[in-house]
């Protein structure tokens, strides 16, 4: 019996049939008369009708996965920044025009409808967006897999800018429900915390087994979202876990009139899945984050073992049928959890369980900064997860004993390799656990992967050189070109066909077109359409008028000191001073008008990043209100940066700012998205900028600043930022203006801390060391922009060189070289 035996007739691309499907959903599922239906009602009904188109594919794919007993990939990530689903689903099932026509017949504007859909608040930055791109590519390539994460009730936060400052409010993205998800109340797992460990006695007890008792428990309940592939019937699943109390209410406390106590346990339990990345500046915040990470790891590992055992009676084939991929260090608790389940619940011996574990796990590292590598205090881990701390101790002891046998009693080496950092407060190094437990450890750009082996994991790379490899990141062209940039996508379809959506290397065909005047004009026209769209958004939401003839100079990403939004601000103030000087002298100023666009969130406890946001807004307020500047310079900070906002910003950008300190950015994917949409890049030789330079040609990218070896050399020689400050009059003037309150006259000392960090406290990310090079390179940018044809030709060549940066290429490498899985075959 097949799925088709149960399926009703689908509307497919028949407009009349789809109208009936939407009307039926509106009346019978949403319960609204079309006459009284709101925009949200129409969106809900249409989304459910489109979802029905995916369900048959989903069930067919799932059955095929079981029937073919394929090796499945389980991708564990704290974030999945999937954005809006509506338009993406329409494009995946090729129903975009059909749905638009059907809704138009009802008098409903599909574009306005799609704007009503909230972004799924399941992530923050590049980590979550990469995971979303990977799920898209896995489905498109037919890689059998499932994403596992947390169904955050309120996301990270919704960012508002009030008096120039970031204000965090809950992101109520689920208020109107989520028509794309399926709740699975029958799929639930008990996740345990606290308690203590008892040694299991008996001759038949496997080595290493124990009992974890007297725990307090939380239920993890599954919610499934279909991830459709493009140009294929294959789909995958994103399974998110929501926390539920094991008991909804203490009825005896309620009957005594103690209503708060009656639901206290429920509220405490369900806090686990309320917010992404709770403020970890407090002990309670750090404990909640540990609870979150273990919560989704435990539920996910229990779930995948259940699925494996559906087709197998023993664990002999576990590593042949299961691959668990750790997206950064947040899911590393899955390692001791798998060991616990195999040892304590399923009776495997330690050696067999550990052998399976090392074959099943693979790990992607996303940072080279030691302070960003997650560690947990031994005291906290032992109190909340005592069995897991015990397992980590045992793994560590066996590993260090093996190393000692090979190299002798090298105490310093043992200290560096130990999974437990004994310096100061004893802490478990989660990244080390991941490296030791995984058969593959990859970086996300060529530079990052080499630096990873030379720095944070240098000792492990000497012991396990075969484990380390590179998988340069990529982005999905379906979301980031076909969906985000309709004008350019239509032009590409006209000139090279639609095949680039599944084979991005076809963009190479654009290279000769960069010399064709008609194509150059058409390309520039597409860019102008996108700039108008962004300008309209800015006027509508911020009441700021921006000139679409100006260069759109854009830096949008998480606000962090190493990403150096502050260096961008220094250049903005430099331009401002030059404009004022020319005005005062009455001399003509040959400067390209610019609109400088910032967007991004700062972590709620990251004081310096939040201060940078305030400085950007203060600088913007000053410059935008200065009549002497006119259209020569505008600065805008776009609040609440999201996937859907990025889809408006990136196609409109002329210049992409990728200016992190060399050696700090693992890869970046924003750089790829901007270039794919025809922006030129100004950046350092950091992360994937290095490979982008090779792909688009060094003459088609603006590279500045110190390289990674030069950064190391500057620091080794003893960096003196004050000497640079004193020796560069233009830089000194900029920093003095910021320090002395030129942009905060009501509170002149507001930015003293920023001045001190750059001049007196070491300038850790070398902004002053790169300032002169950055400003000089910006002058080259201006010079090229004055020649619109030359600029556009270079932009076309950038798009042509982006084929290698498709997430399809990345996932194909993961599937072949790390996961060793084959695509599902659908009839």
């Amino acid at each position: 019996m097949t799925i088709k035996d149960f399926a009703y007739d689908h509307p497919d691309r028949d407009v009349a049939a789809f109208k009936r499907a939407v009307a039926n959903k509106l009346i019978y599922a949403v319960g609204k008369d079309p006459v009284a239906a709101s925009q949200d009602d129409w969106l809900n009904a249409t989304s459910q009708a489109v979802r029905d188109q995916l369900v048959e594919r989903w069930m067919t794919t799932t059955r095929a996965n079981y029937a073919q007993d394929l090796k499945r990939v389980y991708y564990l990530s704290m974030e999945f920044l999937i954005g809006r689903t509506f338009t993406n689903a329409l494009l995946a099932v090729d129903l975009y025009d059909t749905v638009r026509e059907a809704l138009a017949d009802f008098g409903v504007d599909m574009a306005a409808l799609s704007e009503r859909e909230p972004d799924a608040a399941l992530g923050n930055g590049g980590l979550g967006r990469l995971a979303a791109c990977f799920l898209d590519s896995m489905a498109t390539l037919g890689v059998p897999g499932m994403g596992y994460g947390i169904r955050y009730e309120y996301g990270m936060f919704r960012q508002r800018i009030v008096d120039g400052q970031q204000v965090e409010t809950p992101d109520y993205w689920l208020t109107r429900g989520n028509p794309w998800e399926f709740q699975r109340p029958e799929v639930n797992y008990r996740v345990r915390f606290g308690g203590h460990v008892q040694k299991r006695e008996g001759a038949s007890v496997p080595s290493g087994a124990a009992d974890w008792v007297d725990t307090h428990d939380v239920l993890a309940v599954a919610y499934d979202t279909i991830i459709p592939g493009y140009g294929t019937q294959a789909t995958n699943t994103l399974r998110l876990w929501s926390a539920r109390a094991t008991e909804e209410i203490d009825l005896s406390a309620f009957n005594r009139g103690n209503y708060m106590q009656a639901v206290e346990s429920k509220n405490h339990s369900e806090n686990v899945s309320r917010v992404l990345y709770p403020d970890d500046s407090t002990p309670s915040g750090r404990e909640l984050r540990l609870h979150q990470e273990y919560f989704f790891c435990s539920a996910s590992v229990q779930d995948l073992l259940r699925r494996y055992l559906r087709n197998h009676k023993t664990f002999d084939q576990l590593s042949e049928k299961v691959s668990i991929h750790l997206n950064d260090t947040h899911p590393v608790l899955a390692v001791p959890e798998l060991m616990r389940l195999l040892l304590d619940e399923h009776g495997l011996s330690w050696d067999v369980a550990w052998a399976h574990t090392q074959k099943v796990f693979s790990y992607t590292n996303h940072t080279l900064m030691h302070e960003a590598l997650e560690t947990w205090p031994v005291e906290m881990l032992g109190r909340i997860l005592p069995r897991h701390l015990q397992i980590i101790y045992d793994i560590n002891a066996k590993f260090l004993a093996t190393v000692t046998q090979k190299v002798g009693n090298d105490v310093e080496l043992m200290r560096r390799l130990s999974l437990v950092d004994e310096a100061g407060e004893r802490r478990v190094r989660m990244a080390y656990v991941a490296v030791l437990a995984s058969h593959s450890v990859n970086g996300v750009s060529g530079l990052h992967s080499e630096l990873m082996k030379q720095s944070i994991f240098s000792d492990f790379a000497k012991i396990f050189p075969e484990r380390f490899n590179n998988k340069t990141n990529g982005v999905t062209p379906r979301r980031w070109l076909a969906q985000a940039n309709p004008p350019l996508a239509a032009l590409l379809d006209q000139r090279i066909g639609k095949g680039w959506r599944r084979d991005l290397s076809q963009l190479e065909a654009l290279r000769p077109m960069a010399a064709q005047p008609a194509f150059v004009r058409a390309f520039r026209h597409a860019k102008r359409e996108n700039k108008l769209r962004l300008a309209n958004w800015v006027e509508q939401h911020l009441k700021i008028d921006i000139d679409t003839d100006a260069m759109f100079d854009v830096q949008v990403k998480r606000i962090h000191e190493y990403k150096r939004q502050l260096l961008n601000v220094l250049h903005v103030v430099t331009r401002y001073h030059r404009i004022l000087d020319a005005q005062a002298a009455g001399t003509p100023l040959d400067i390209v008008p610019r609109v400088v666009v910032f967007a991004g969130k700062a972590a709620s406890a990251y004081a310096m990043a939040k201060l940078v946001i305030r400085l950007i807004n203060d600088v913007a307020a000053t410059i935008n209100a200065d009549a002497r500047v006119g259209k020569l310079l505008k600065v805008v900070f776009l609040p609440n940066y999201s996937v859907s906002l990025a889809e408006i910003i990136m196609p409109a950008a002329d210049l992409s700012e990728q200016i992190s300190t060399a050696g700090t950015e693992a890869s970046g994917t924003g750089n790829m998205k901007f270039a794919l949409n025809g922006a030129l890049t100004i950046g350092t030789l950091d992360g994937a900028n290095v490979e982008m330079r090779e792909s688009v040609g060094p003459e088609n990218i603006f590279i500045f600043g110190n390289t990674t070896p030069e950064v190391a050399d500057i620091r080794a020689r003893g960096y003196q930022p004050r000497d640079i400050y004193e020796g560069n009059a233009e830089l000194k003037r900029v920093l003095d203006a910021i320090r002395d309150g030129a942009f905060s006259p009501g509170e002149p000392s507001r930015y003293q801390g920023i001045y001190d960090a750059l001049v007196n406290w070491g300038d850790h990310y070398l902004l002053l060391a790169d300032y002169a090079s950055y400003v000089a390179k910006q002058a080259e940018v201006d010079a090229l922009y004055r020649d619109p044809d030359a600029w556009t030709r270079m932009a076309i060549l950038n798009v042509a060189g982006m084929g290698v940066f498709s997430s399809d290429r990345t996932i194909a490498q993961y599937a072949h070289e790390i996961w060793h899985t084959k695509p599902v075959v659908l009839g």
Side-chain angles (χ1 to χ4, degrees):
M1 187 174 292
T2 69
I3 302 300
K4 293 184 185 293
D5 295 325
F6 295 94
Y8 57 81
D9 291 335
H10 285 310
D12 198 30
R13 275 166 283 282
D14 184 328
V15 174
F18 198 85
K19 284 179 63 179
R20 289 193 299 273
V22 173
N24 284 336
K25 290 294 183 184
L26 185 66
I27 296 168
Y28 300 114
V30 181
K32 282 294 185 75
D33 185 324
V35 175
S38 68
Q39 289 272 72
D40 292 332
D41 296 328
W42 282 107
L43 176 61
N44 195 348
T46 308
S47 297
Q48 290 191 50
V50 174
R51 189 184 72 172
D52 287 350
Q53 298 288 294
L54 302 177
V55 169
E56 185 177 321
R57 300 179 180 200
W58 189 34
M59 293 185 177
T60 299
T61 303
T62 302
R63 284 193 175 190
N65 284 334
Y66 279 117
Q68 296 167 33
D69 197 19
L70 296 169
K71 185 177 188 179
R72 298 197 194 195
V73 178
Y74 297 101
Y75 195 87
L76 273 60
S77 179
M78 279 287 280
E79 299 183 39
F80 287 97
L81 203 58
I82 59 176
R84 292 170 173 164
T85 302
F86 182 68
T87 303
N88 186 66
L90 292 178
L91 293 173
V93 297
D94 196 20
L95 277 177
Y96 189 89
D97 292 334
T98 302
V99 174
R100 184 178 57 195
E101 291 180 41
L103 290 174
D105 285 352
F106 285 122
V108 177
D109 180 1
M110 191 175 81
L113 210 64
S114 64
E115 288 298 312
R116 297 289 302 168
E117 182 182 18
D119 280 54
L122 300 172
N124 173 39
L127 185 80
R129 187 52 236 175
L130 180 74
C133 284
F134 279 6
L135 290 187
D136 175 276
S137 289
M138 288 168 68
T140 297
L141 298 180
V143 175
M146 178 175 280
Y148 278 122
I150 297 177
R151 182 180 181 266
Y152 301 105
E153 192 172 345
Y154 303 116
M156 183 173 171
F157 57 79
R158 186 172 186 83
Q159 181 194 58
R160 296 170 56 231
I161 301 299
V162 179
D163 296 329
Q165 300 181 77
Q166 172 178 292
V167 175
E168 302 102 22
T169 61
D171 190 342
Y172 296 105
W173 71 286
L174 290 169
T175 298
R176 299 192 296 267
N178 180 5
W180 300 101
E181 69 182 5
F182 293 88
Q183 184 180 6
R184 304 296 195 200
E186 77 283 2
V187 180
N188 64 82
Y189 298 95
R190 189 170 288 264
V191 179
R192 298 191 280 170
F193 299 97
H196 61 276
V197 179
Q198 293 178 344
K199 186 176 181 181
R200 194 176 296 176
E201 304 290 350
S204 61
V205 174
S207 61
D211 292 313
W212 185 14
V213 299
D214 297 335
T215 57
H216 59 271
D217 303 349
V218 175
L219 288 181
V221 179
Y223 287 76
D224 290 349
T225 298
I226 305 170
I227 306 297
Y230 178 84
T232 175
Q233 294 293 307
T235 66
N236 275 324
T237 304
L238 172 59
R239 175 160 285 181
L240 302 175
W241 302 106
S242 183
R244 296 288 182 269
T246 54
E247 294 183 4
E248 288 288 312
I249 189 170
D250 182 343
L251 194 57
S252 62
F254 187 89
N255 289 335
R256 293 194 307 271
N258 196 338
Y259 306 126
M260 295 298 291
Q261 182 184 340
V263 295
E264 182 180 4
S265 176
K266 170 183 168 64
N267 289 336
H268 181 74
S269 297
E270 296 180 4
N271 282 340
V272 172
S273 59
R274 294 207 197 281
V275 177
L276 167 66
Y277 299 146
D279 184 345
D280 59 0
S281 62
T282 64
S284 59
R286 288 191 290 274
E287 288 193 16
L288 178 56
R289 187 156 168 172
L290 178 59
H291 277 83
Q292 280 188 330
E293 293 184 6
Y294 176 64
F295 166 77
F296 103 88
C297 287
S298 177
S300 302
V301 176
Q302 291 184 66
D303 191 51
L304 66 89
L305 287 183
R306 174 196 60 80
R307 191 172 296 106
Y308 168 82
L309 290 171
R310 177 172 171 172
N311 274 18
H312 303 88
K313 300 297 185 183
T314 71
F315 286 94
D316 294 348
Q317 290 185 285
L318 183 65
S319 57
E320 298 170 28
K321 301 299 178 182
V322 170
S323 182
I324 306 175
H325 197 84
L326 306 174
N327 190 30
D328 213 5
T329 53
H330 309 121
V332 174
L333 284 166
V335 172
E337 175 66 0
L338 178 62
M339 286 293 292
R340 182 188 73 83
L341 291 169
L342 295 179
L343 292 169
D344 300 350
E345 306 293 333
H346 296 286
L348 273 64
S349 69
W350 178 278
D351 290 343
V352 171
W354 183 239
H356 281 309
T357 297
Q358 288 190 299
K359 292 176 183 176
V360 161
F361 280 102
S362 50
Y363 162 59
T364 296
N365 171 267
H366 287 277
T367 182
L368 295 170
M369 293 184 283
H370 278 283
E371 62 270 24
L373 292 174
E374 198 164 53
T375 62
W376 291 111
V378 165
E379 182 277 328
M380 182 188 296
L381 200 60
R383 177 164 39 86
I384 297 173
L385 299 172
R387 178 61 176 134
H388 298 75
L389 179 61
Q390 186 181 78
I391 289 171
I392 289 170
Y393 276 157
D394 289 345
I395 293 171
N396 195 40
K398 293 174 185 294
F399 168 58
L400 294 181
T402 301
V403 174
T404 300
Q405 288 179 348
K406 291 183 177 180
V407 303
N409 190 26
D410 186 336
V411 176
E412 181 59 25
L413 177 63
M414 296 302 107
R415 184 188 65 78
R416 296 198 307 268
L417 286 171
S418 176
L419 304 185
V420 180
D421 184 356
E422 303 284 352
E425 182 186 28
R426 299 173 70 235
R427 304 179 72 90
V428 176
R429 297 158 160 161
M430 302 308 292
Y432 285 18
V433 176
V435 171
L436 186 57
S438 298
H439 65 88
S440 171
V441 178
N442 72 279
V444 290
S445 72
L447 175 63
H448 168 242
S449 296
E450 285 304 311
L451 293 174
M452 181 179 69
K453 292 188 292 184
Q454 296 168 17
S455 58
I456 53 175
F457 300 138
S458 58
D459 292 312
F460 286 96
K462 293 171 185 173
I463 297 172
F464 307 115
E466 71 287 351
R467 295 187 186 182
F468 289 83
N469 61 91
N470 176 59
K471 299 290 175 284
T472 298
N473 282 343
V475 301
T476 169
R478 276 79 61 182
R479 168 77 66 167
W480 293 111
L481 186 48
Q483 178 173 326
N485 197 337
L488 181 56
L491 178 61
L492 297 182
D493 291 347
Q494 180 187 17
R495 296 304 181 96
I496 64 173
K498 296 185 177 182
W500 55 268
R501 288 168 171 80
R502 282 194 58 122
D503 179 7
L504 201 59
S505 66
Q506 292 183 17
L507 294 182
E508 279 287 335
L510 297 176
R511 288 193 185 275
M513 297 182 193
Q516 299 172 7
F519 185 77
V520 169
R521 287 193 298 272
F523 189 96
R524 190 158 58 243
H525 179 73
K527 176 63 70 174
R528 185 168 183 80
E529 283 190 60
N530 289 315
K531 292 176 75 171
L532 282 167
R533 180 172 62 152
L534 177 58
N536 289 336
W537 190 97
V538 171
E539 199 283 327
Q540 179 183 351
H541 291 85
L542 303 181
K543 308 305 178 189
I544 298 173
D545 180 31
I546 59 177
D547 180 11
T548 53
D549 289 328
M551 179 197 301
F552 282 13
D553 175 357
V554 182
Q555 187 177 20
V556 292
K557 55 185 70 212
R558 180 167 54 95
I559 308 297
H560 196 289
E561 288 168 275
Y562 87 83
K563 294 178 183 290
R564 301 203 297 188
Q565 285 90 354
L566 191 51
L567 178 60
N568 193 346
V569 174
L570 298 183
H571 173 246
V572 168
V573 177
T574 300
R575 293 180 81 87
Y576 179 50
H577 285 165
R578 290 178 178 179
I579 292 169
L580 297 187
D581 290 346
Q583 293 279 1
T587 58
L589 179 63
D590 187 18
I591 190 169
V592 170
R594 291 202 193 195
V595 175
V596 183
V597 178
F598 294 90
K601 296 179 180 180
S604 55
Y606 193 172
M608 180 57 79
K610 295 172 82 169
L611 190 62
V612 169
I613 289 176
R614 191 173 192 185
L615 175 61
I616 292 169
N617 282 288
D618 278 347
V619 168
T622 301
I623 292 174
N624 296 348
D626 194 330
R628 296 170 295 177
V629 175
K631 291 186 175 182
L632 291 178
L633 185 60
K634 279 283 199 308
V635 182
V636 291
F637 185 96
L638 309 185
N640 203 45
Y641 184 52
S642 62
V643 173
S644 56
L645 184 53
E647 290 173 19
I648 298 173
I649 296 170
M650 289 176 170
D654 293 306
L655 185 67
S656 163
E657 300 269 355
Q658 307 297 329
I659 58 177
S660 53
T661 312
T664 60
E665 186 71 82
S667 169
T669 53
N671 45 6
M672 303 169 189
K673 295 164 195 167
F674 277 113
L676 186 63
N677 282 279
L680 302 187
T681 301
I682 183 168
T684 53
L685 283 175
D686 195 27
N689 290 355
V690 178
E691 288 151 273
M692 283 177 56
R693 179 175 181 263
E694 295 170 357
S695 186
V696 306
E699 70 280 7
N700 295 315
I701 190 170
F702 298 99
I703 296 297
F704 75 94
N706 289 285
T707 63
T708 301
E710 289 167 344
V711 167
D713 183 60
I714 289 170
R715 287 173 172 163
R717 288 187 284 107
Y719 177 44
Q720 299 296 328
R722 176 168 281 280
D723 292 346
I724 299 174
Y725 162 77
E726 298 287 357
N728 187 318
E730 194 166 42
L731 171 62
K732 185 176 188 300
R733 181 184 176 192
V734 168
L735 288 168
D736 288 352
I738 292 171
R739 178 198 62 195
D740 296 338
F743 303 101
S744 55
E747 186 187 346
S749 62
R750 179 178 296 166
Y751 300 113
Q752 180 71 44
I754 286 178
Y755 172 87
D756 287 337
L758 297 180
V759 177
N760 297 324
W761 298 340
D763 184 20
H764 182 69
Y765 293 107
L766 276 66
L767 280 72
L768 305 196
D770 281 348
Y771 169 83
S773 174
Y774 179 51
V775 171
K777 191 60 64 172
Q778 290 282 14
E780 294 181 27
V781 171
D782 278 0
L784 183 67
Y785 196 76
R786 292 187 185 97
D787 184 343
D789 287 343
W791 181 279
T792 305
R793 285 194 295 271
M794 190 179 290
I796 293 168
L797 292 174
N798 268 259
V799 176
M802 293 308 294
V804 71
F805 297 104
S806 168
S807 53
D808 293 351
R809 183 269 311 156
T810 312
I811 286 300
Q813 291 179 331
Y814 274 100
H816 178 67
E817 299 170 17
I818 295 179
W819 302 330
H820 306 296
T821 187
K822 296 178 180 178
V824 63
V825 178
L826 300 175

